[in-house]
Amino acid sequence: MKPLRTALTVAAATGSLVALSPAATAAPVAPPGRVTVDVASVNGSGCRPGTASVAVAPDNSAFTVTYSDYLAQAGGESPVTAARKNCLLSLVVNVPQGFTYAVAKVDYRGFGSLAEGAIGTQKASYYFQGMSQTTYRTHQFHGALEDNWQVTDTASIQALVFAPCGEKRNLNINTELRTEVGTSDPAKVSYMTVDSTDGGIGTVYHFSWKECPAR
């Protein structure tokens, strides 16, 4: 798969999830110039080739991932393999010299159709290639549910993990969606999706920036 590149000209600093050297200082403004996001690889049962796309938000402060076939279901005649779906994105974020970034806020949206007693779970982890720091987040939903859902993953300033200054490290984002029958009627189908039913809103990853110490 060829890398997908989206251009991002950053206009304002925002809050974020993914550590920078302790000597680095907060940037008064977002870095000038051109920031690009390359999708090095997309793997998983929830994002088969051609079912996930990346785009830059209109205000250039974040990037959005939209899925067209990220659905986990259980119950009825659903196969066992349909109950859990996952997607691993490996991203290369190219930033101007002298700056680094974190992703400390992520907005997830989807639709849930859970019978009374069924359970839906959305998980995500974030880490830089070759680094031990990993941020985990889990959200659970209980039936009965028949509605859109939305959750936001955030990290405190103290917990932010920034890309190392002057190094190229892929940002890896691993998400999972799971549906369980639980105590519901096993003949009833329950499911969870990522993204709204109209497909118009995707998962939004917000940037936070810091200035690297001068060498």
Side-chain angles (χ1 to χ4, degrees):
M1 178 182 295
K2 294 183 178 179
L4 304 175
R5 167 162 291 191
T6 54
L8 173 59
T9 303
V10 180
T14 64
S16 322
L17 270 171
V18 185
L20 166 73
S21 108
T25 58
V29 294
R34 188 178 180 85
V35 175
T36 61
V37 179
D38 293 335
V39 181
S41 63
V42 181
N43 295 292
S45 55
C47 54
R48 295 173 299 163
T51 65
S53 61
V54 180
V56 177
D59 62 0
N60 296 324
S61 64
F63 65 91
T64 300
V65 180
T66 304
Y67 305 93
S68 62
D69 190 27
Y70 202 159
L71 181 150
Q73 69 177 50
E77 297 181 359
S78 305
V80 175
T81 54
R84 177 189 176 276
K85 297 296 178 69
N86 78 296
C87 181
L88 175 59
L89 294 174
S90 184
L91 307 176
V92 181
V93 181
N94 304 294
V95 303
Q97 187 174 2
F99 291 86
T100 189
Y101 73 95
V103 178
K105 180 181 177 182
V106 185
D107 301 318
Y108 291 96
R109 299 174 177 86
F111 186 83
S113 178
L114 300 176
E116 182 73 37
I119 302 170
T121 305
Q122 186 271 333
K123 296 182 179 181
S125 63
Y126 314 84
Y127 62 97
F128 284 107
Q129 180 182 17
M131 295 177 63
S132 60
Q133 298 100 321
T134 302
T135 301
Y136 298 93
R137 294 290 186 272
T138 300
H139 304 277
Q140 198 166 79
F141 306 84
H142 296 268
L145 174 67
E146 191 73 28
D147 203 354
N148 293 317
W149 60 267
Q150 178 175 339
V151 295
T152 298
D153 291 348
T154 59
S156 65
I157 294 176
Q158 295 81 2
L160 289 180
V161 180
F162 285 80
C165 286
E167 297 183 27
K168 284 287 186 182
R169 298 284 184 96
N170 286 14
L171 168 63
N172 296 312
I173 301 171
N174 193 8
T175 60
E176 177 184 327
L177 200 61
R178 186 187 297 269
T179 302
E180 300 172 72
V181 172
T183 59
S184 69
D185 182 349
K188 294 183 178 180
V189 175
S190 294
Y191 66 87
M192 293 285 293
T193 72
V194 176
D195 286 349
S196 300
T197 52
D198 61 7
I201 302 175
T203 302
V204 183
Y205 298 84
H206 302 267
F207 283 117
S208 183
W209 298 97
K210 281 192 177 183
E211 194 169 357
C212 294
R215 292 185 176 182

